[in-house]
Amino acid sequence: MKISIFGLGYVGAVSAGCLTNDGHEVIGVDPNQTKVNLINNGQTPIIEKDIGEIIEKSVNNGGLRATTSVEEAVRATEMSLICVGTPSQANGSLDLSYVRRVCEQIGTVLRDKTEFHLVVIRSTILPGTMLNVVIPTLEEYSGKTAGLDFGVCNNPEFLREGTAVYDFYNPPKTVIGEIDAQSGDMLARIYEKLDAPLIRTDVATAEMVKYTDNVWHALKVGFANEIGTICKSLGIDGHKTMDIFCQDTKLNLSPYYLKPGFAFGGSCLPKDVRALTYKGRTLDLELPILNSILPCNDHHIDRGLKMIMATGHKRVGILGLSFKAGTDDLRESPIVEVTERLLGKGYDLRIYDRNVQLATLTGANRDYILNHIPHISSLMVDHMEQVLDHGDTVVVGNGAKEFREVPDRMRDGQVMVDLVRISDARSQGGRYEGICW
């Protein structure tokens, strides 16, 4: 395939060299004449393991060259990868001037180009940039329609400095955000030799995936450093602790706990976070990430409460009172907190949870419900139908299997607030509201 790559910085140079190495014909484009000259002389404009040898071989074989001419590059290729920078501005927002300028230039050339051309954004951009900046700019300057007269995709990169060539050929995944199947098919062909999951999705999700990845990586670094800080203060080897932590691939390093939903609760997580942050305070340690966990959880409870109140209904039915399905544990259950706040605001409630029946509760849970929330126990009913009949708003508070039938049993005028994604539906602005979807 004939490919033009805009921006010969880190991502652009690595992409240019590796794609040429795979047999594609590549033209690199950059306004910096020095970078263009380096490429044309078989030299790399960046310092990165193996890329120098790849670029030298690619140029010598005639598969790679560079130019400052946008028109020359677009007319000679069928696909353009935009790899220009998106630096931070003083307020934290992105400077999109380079992306916008390249889209203007490419769009101008596309105005008179008759062959189908695919424009792919590899630059890191926030969700909404494709639909609000990239596509409108290309359409304005080309006078054509995206998805019909030319193609557009978002294709975030997952290259780490120092191992970028290895990462290009061994990516954790390849993500293609597309607005039409033809564009996605065309882009997927350049990655067909890679042994990695290929995910095709909408452009906004593709944009968000890149940020989710990078912020998660940043959070992991900060988390490990704070655990290490506590360990050092206690005379413990932080590396040994984290090495053991990382051996757990069932819970710690896994998809578990990484699905958006409601707040955490139960007898372990709140108590143990509270205890460890208390220990940090006794050691006079600054632990901003760990100290933010419980306030973050409280904010999510507030969010759920506001969603319920926003329905405008005073008659509310709650399905699930324990902190998760399959248990009767009410200790620090976020649904209990929501229930108490609704009661305090004068809401008329009915509650059903098969596992939380006063007659079957023993030990700590029996004591909890009798001595801490007796006002809630009086609102509990024996059958799910009683909640559905009562509530103008029905709140699903845990993922019990029997609640999966609730969406099909809602009557006209009822609103469902789903805190656990019991349904695959998306928020509909009235009849169904999911807390994170």
Side-chain angles (χ1 to χ4, degrees):
M1 193 174 293
K2 296 180 178 180
I3 303 169
S4 50
I5 295 181
F6 287 78
L8 293 175
Y10 195 82
V11 174
V14 170
S15 299
C18 291
L19 286 170
T20 309
N21 200 41
D22 283 346
H24 301 285
E25 295 182 35
V26 177
I27 301 176
V29 187
D30 201 289
N32 187 320
Q33 188 66 55
T34 300
K35 290 183 179 181
V36 169
N37 292 341
L38 284 170
I39 292 288
N40 288 332
N41 289 328
Q43 297 175 287
T44 175
I46 63 168
I47 302 300
E48 177 63 38
K49 185 177 183 295
D50 298 328
I51 196 62
E53 294 84 351
I54 291 174
I55 288 177
E56 181 180 15
K57 184 182 76 171
S58 298
V59 171
N60 290 339
N61 290 343
L64 173 63
R65 64 185 178 88
T67 180
T68 59
S69 172
V70 174
E71 182 172 3
E72 175 190 354
V74 174
R75 292 197 180 281
T77 58
E78 51 199 310
M79 178 190 303
S80 296
L81 306 185
I82 297 177
C83 304
V84 299
T86 54
S88 289
Q89 301 194 97
N91 63 358
S93 65
L94 295 183
D95 180 356
L96 295 174
S97 59
Y98 303 114
V99 170
R100 186 179 287 105
R101 178 58 181 153
V102 169
C103 288
E104 292 172 356
Q105 293 172 327
I106 293 175
T108 300
V109 180
L110 291 182
R111 179 176 290 274
D112 299 319
K113 185 174 181 178
T114 57
E115 300 86 3
F116 185 84
H117 194 90
L118 175 62
V119 181
V120 181
I121 303 295
R122 292 274 278 168
S123 303
T124 301
I125 52 176
L126 285 166
T129 306
M130 292 292 295
L131 296 180
N132 297 323
V133 177
V134 172
I135 292 175
T137 303
L138 288 168
E139 290 183 331
E140 177 186 354
Y141 280 81
S142 68
K144 297 181 177 181
T145 302
L148 181 63
D149 303 312
F150 64 91
V152 178
C153 286
N154 180 253
N155 180 215
E157 48 80 22
F158 304 101
L159 307 178
R160 297 168 297 172
E161 294 188 39
T163 59
V165 172
Y166 175 86
D167 291 342
F168 185 93
Y169 290 116
N170 301 274
K173 57 187 176 291
T174 299
V175 179
I176 295 175
E178 60 190 48
I179 62 170
D180 65 282
Q182 180 183 1
S183 297
D185 291 343
M186 187 174 175
L187 179 55
R189 288 204 297 272
I190 72 173
Y191 297 119
E192 60 188 5
K193 295 180 182 179
L194 297 181
D195 182 17
L198 175 65
I199 300 108
R200 293 172 63 168
T201 185
D202 60 275
V203 292
T205 300
E207 291 168 315
M208 188 64 196
V209 163
K210 173 66 173 180
Y211 279 92
T212 304
D213 278 27
N214 280 358
V215 174
W216 173 236
H217 298 159
L219 178 60
K220 287 193 293 184
V221 171
F223 172 79
N225 287 343
E226 290 195 5
I227 293 297
T229 298
I230 295 175
C231 286
K232 180 176 174 61
S233 295
L234 296 174
I236 299 169
D237 186 334
H239 274 231
K240 185 182 293 185
T241 298
M242 292 305 295
D243 284 344
I244 296 171
F245 170 89
C246 290
Q247 290 186 44
D248 180 353
T249 57
K250 291 184 178 180
L251 298 179
N252 291 347
L253 304 184
S254 75
Y256 213 79
Y257 301 118
L258 286 174
K259 286 291 182 66
F262 201 38
F264 62 77
S267 59
C268 295
L269 298 188
K271 174 180 71 72
D272 291 346
V273 172
R274 199 175 291 121
L276 189 62
T277 52
Y278 171 79
K279 185 64 175 180
R281 290 194 298 274
T282 67
L283 297 169
D284 291 328
L285 300 177
E286 294 290 337
L287 305 169
I289 292 177
L290 298 183
N291 287 334
S292 71
I293 294 174
L294 289 176
C296 172
N297 206 49
D298 290 340
H299 285 312
H300 210 54
I301 294 174
D302 291 340
R303 191 161 176 262
L305 179 66
K306 290 175 181 176
M307 286 178 60
I308 297 167
M309 295 172 60
T311 67
H313 298 150
K314 283 293 185 178
R315 292 164 60 92
V316 176
I318 297 177
L319 297 173
L321 191 61
S322 61
F323 82 99
K324 70 176 182 178
T327 178
D328 62 356
D329 196 345
L330 299 176
R331 288 170 293 180
E332 302 210 48
S333 169
I335 302 299
V336 170
E337 178 67 22
V338 168
T339 301
E340 292 195 302
R341 294 192 198 179
L342 289 172
L343 279 175
K345 294 178 181 296
Y347 283 76
D348 183 7
L349 306 180
R350 295 292 184 276
I351 308 164
Y352 170 75
D353 190 318
R354 182 188 298 273
N355 293 310
V356 184
Q357 298 293 344
L358 183 59
T360 62
L361 287 170
T362 59
N365 279 335
R366 180 179 177 84
D367 174 74
Y368 184 84
I369 199 168
L370 288 175
N371 297 310
H372 294 273
I373 54 171
H375 50 296
I376 290 180
S377 67
S378 65
L379 302 173
M380 298 195 68
V381 296
D382 296 328
H383 304 286
M384 183 168 64
E385 289 76 10
Q386 294 169 270
V387 167
L388 297 178
D389 290 342
H390 172 81
D392 295 320
T393 293
V394 176
V395 180
V396 180
N398 69 37
K401 291 182 179 179
E402 61 186 310
F403 299 157
R404 293 176 185 172
E405 62 188 76
V406 171
D408 297 327
R409 298 176 59 179
M410 299 286 286
R411 64 176 184 269
D412 289 343
Q414 269 186 318
V415 177
M416 178 177 173
V417 175
D418 186 356
L419 303 179
V420 294
R421 198 155 203 177
I422 205 73
S423 167
D424 288 333
R426 294 276 299 275
S427 294
Q428 300 164 1
R431 180 172 173 76
Y432 175 86
E433 291 293 336
I435 191 167
C436 292
W437 47 87

